[in-house]
Amino acid sequence: WCVVCGVWCVVCGVLCVVCCVVCECVCCVWSTASVGAQAQLTFNCAAAPAVAGDRRLDKSTLTIAHWNVEWLFLSKWDKRWSSYEEAMAHLKLVAGVMKALNVDVWHLAEVEDCSVLGKLIDAIGDSTYKPYMVRGTDTATGQNVALLTRVDPVVNLTRTEARAAYPVLGNNCGSTSVSGTSAVSKHLITRLHPQNFPPFVVVGAQREAQALVLQGVIASHVQAGLNVVCMGDFNDWDLQVPDVKSSRPISRALSFLKDVIPEKEEDEAVTYELVNVAQNVAQSTRFTAYYNPDSSVCLAARDAS
């Protein structure tokens, strides 16, 4: 970039030369940010390796986590950040947390592309992680979900383009005058050894329909006798596993995702094929991330969900 900066100084003339000298290569910083905003996105990390690796130091345990890393973007950083430098500072902050937690399999939401995952690995400073992503269809935000994992998938990452109709019968989410079909824009399906790690979903306005799409995907794996981990941003509460405020869900999304093989008879007791791991956490500490763009405003603990 020093060479690029020199070219910019020559092209831009005397004023830019002064900037370079006085402000320590301001032109270089500016040109870096500009190129970052226009860089070509890369989605070349969906394929499983020919031989799946397992780079865990302790093979007797497997730790898995999901984290919404909030606009982990470096190319089109201006979708959220005021500068490339701010976007990079955010990435380094994320890397610091991930390094401290030392999880084996990370599932990340709101990731831009494969190249960002590479930079995240560099920032963590841990080559045991490998990046995987299949591009989603959310063209509005450009956000995707991804894996950063020490245990490689044994099959390529895929996604389903299936759709479900809404409103779903019995819907209590509000107006039922609007109808249509909904797919799941951001998710991935793959299998890890020794576990199957199917979809992650961000549930939108038609959350029940989206949950039904994933219900079918999960059911197919369960019926094949595979272990399933389903995680992500579900954007609703769980009626059976209440949060610290005992908030009630506004949809049946979590129920659909836990009861993936519904009982045939109405009077049959519900059998949940998946369990919400939050049930292993005391209700007094079951909190939900609260997005607040105004960092000067904090919720009191009694108000937080």
Side-chain angles (χ1 to χ4, degrees):
W1 282 112
C2 290
V3 174
V4 173
C5 181
V7 173
W8 273 105
C9 288
V10 172
V11 173
C12 294
V14 176
L15 180 59
C16 201
V17 172
V18 172
C19 287
C20 285
V21 173
V22 176
C23 301
E24 297 183 339
C25 216
V26 167
C27 287
C28 183
V29 173
W30 177 81
S31 62
T32 303
S34 298
V35 172
Q38 302 299 321
Q40 184 69 34
L41 301 180
T42 58
F43 298 96
N44 57 357
C45 57
V51 178
D54 187 340
R55 294 168 295 280
R56 290 174 295 155
L57 294 179
D58 183 358
K59 300 293 195 300
S60 66
T61 63
L62 178 66
T63 53
I64 303 174
H66 165 75
W67 189 15
N68 184 323
V69 288
E70 297 185 5
W71 292 98
L72 199 68
F73 280 43
L74 288 180
S75 294
K76 297 183 178 180
W77 51 262
D78 53 345
K79 282 180 171 286
R80 170 62 177 83
W81 310 106
S82 60
S83 67
Y84 178 85
E85 290 72 25
E86 185 181 13
M88 181 58 78
H90 175 67
L91 181 143
K92 290 180 179 178
L93 179 65
V94 169
V97 173
M98 294 177 67
K99 182 175 182 178
L101 293 179
N102 196 33
V103 171
D104 295 320
V105 181
W106 281 101
H107 184 269
L108 305 175
E110 298 195 12
V111 180
E112 185 175 33
D113 67 347
C114 296
S115 65
V116 167
L117 293 173
K119 288 182 171 60
L120 181 59
I121 292 172
D122 291 341
I124 296 171
D126 188 340
S127 60
T128 63
Y129 286 122
K130 300 299 179 186
Y132 296 95
M133 172 189 290
V134 59
R135 189 175 192 175
T137 58
D138 185 350
T139 56
T141 68
Q143 296 171 351
N144 295 281
V145 297
L147 289 179
L148 214 64
T149 176
R150 293 176 174 136
V151 182
D152 293 326
V154 296
V155 295
N156 294 345
L157 274 66
T158 59
R159 49 176 287 115
T160 177
E161 303 303 333
R163 305 181 71 88
Y166 64 88
V168 179
L169 183 64
N171 164 64
N172 293 312
C173 295
S175 173
T176 58
S177 61
V178 178
S179 62
T181 62
S182 178
V184 186
S185 62
K186 299 182 282 283
H187 70 281
L188 58 84
I189 307 167
T190 190
R191 196 189 318 165
L192 304 182
H193 182 77
Q195 295 191 15
N196 179 66
F197 177 56
F200 154 81
V201 60
V202 172
V203 183
Q206 294 82 40
R207 54 171 57 86
E208 290 191 344
Q210 294 188 14
L212 282 178
V213 172
L214 272 299
Q215 184 188 62
V217 172
I218 296 169
S220 66
H221 290 294
V222 171
Q223 291 170 326
L226 298 173
N227 296 314
V228 173
V229 177
C230 180
M231 55 185 169
D233 293 357
F234 298 110
N235 292 348
D236 207 348
W237 293 283
D238 189 330
L239 184 62
Q240 289 76 34
V241 188
D243 70 338
V244 68
K245 288 182 61 180
S246 295
S247 303
R248 296 185 65 82
I250 60 174
S251 77
R252 294 165 294 173
L254 270 294
S255 293
F256 288 160
L257 291 174
K258 293 189 300 178
D259 184 20
V260 296
I261 306 177
E263 287 66 31
K264 294 182 180 179
E265 302 296 332
E266 290 185 4
D267 58 350
E268 283 189 83
V270 176
T271 301
Y272 292 111
E273 286 75 30
L274 270 63
V275 298
N276 186 342
V277 294
Q279 68 185 30
N280 299 321
V281 179
Q283 184 179 356
S284 60
T285 56
R286 290 180 196 152
F287 296 101
T288 298
Y290 172 75
Y291 175 72
N292 184 359
D294 183 357
S295 59
S296 65
V297 178
C298 296
L299 287 178
R302 65 180 181 276
D303 298 325
S305 62

